[in-house]
Amino acid sequence: MIYENKILQIAAAEIGTTETPINTNKTKYGKWFGLDGFAWCGMFVSWVYHHAGLPLGVIGYFNGFAGCQTAYAHFKSKNEITTTPQPGDIVLFDWNGDGRYDHTGIFVRHLSDLTFESIEGNTSLKNDSNGGEVMLRTRKYKQAIFVHPTPKKPKK
């Protein structure tokens, strides 16, 4: 799949990347972020935006966000939640429907009234939120909210 969107180009190039060693949460995303060895889905999203030249700025941490709840509070306060996601937007997932966001990724495309594709870090077919791999996943709209962030200008 060829993407015109720079965010999606960078994210797609990471598909298949895994933790090393397995089950350690150790990745180049965590190393770059400064929290290697911790759950890294948010660090992956922050890394992708940074490498696309669109850093998210401080969202709990200097390089972006690690926690989905922190990200949700930040994006909500900035009025960046959207109901019309565009390719490259951020997705926050609430698996239990309890208003707590458990996982994050990058919106790729609409598939149907019920489903969409996203590229996610730290996922797998056995563990949606801590699976250890970057993957292209099919997800349900009812478990997600979308963010159209206003990235910060990189410092020169």
Side-chain angles (χ1 to χ4, degrees):
M1 203 177 248
I2 298 174
Y3 300 107
E4 292 180 24
N5 180 306
K6 181 86 169 166
I7 294 165
L8 292 181
Q9 287 174 358
I10 290 168
E14 298 302 306
I15 292 172
T17 302
T18 60
E19 299 172 355
T20 306
I22 294 172
N23 296 322
T24 63
N25 279 321
K26 291 190 178 281
T27 65
K28 65 182 179 182
Y29 318 112
K31 188 176 242 183
W32 165 83
F33 196 84
L35 283 178
D36 205 18
F38 292 86
W40 51 276
C41 60
M43 293 182 240
F44 168 74
V45 170
S46 299
W47 183 93
V48 169
Y49 268 77
H50 174 83
H51 284 80
L54 302 165
L56 295 172
V58 177
I59 307 174
Y61 293 91
F62 179 74
N63 284 329
F65 71 97
C68 295
Q69 285 302 110
T70 301
Y72 172 73
H74 171 84
F75 293 129
K76 185 176 181 187
S77 76
K78 300 290 184 188
N79 294 315
E80 294 175 338
I81 307 293
T82 182
T83 56
T84 55
Q86 302 300 308
D89 281 352
I90 296 170
V91 185
L92 293 169
F93 297 98
D94 177 1
W95 304 131
N96 305 321
D98 61 3
R100 292 195 54 80
Y101 295 92
D102 309 296
H103 185 59
T104 188
I106 299 171
F107 181 83
V108 174
R109 65 184 178 134
H110 171 80
L111 295 175
S112 73
D113 288 345
L114 301 176
T115 61
F116 64 94
E117 281 183 334
S118 60
I119 298 173
E120 304 162 25
N122 205 15
T123 191
S124 72
L125 298 178
K126 293 180 180 178
N127 188 331
D128 287 330
S129 296
N130 195 16
E133 185 173 349
V134 178
M135 297 179 72
L136 177 67
R137 303 292 307 268
T138 297
R139 300 296 195 185
K140 295 178 181 170
Y141 279 108
K142 71 179 183 178
Q143 295 176 313
I145 63 162
F146 303 94
V147 176
H148 187 76
T150 306
K152 309 304 174 251
K153 299 281 186 207
K155 293 180 181 176
K156 302 210 179 204

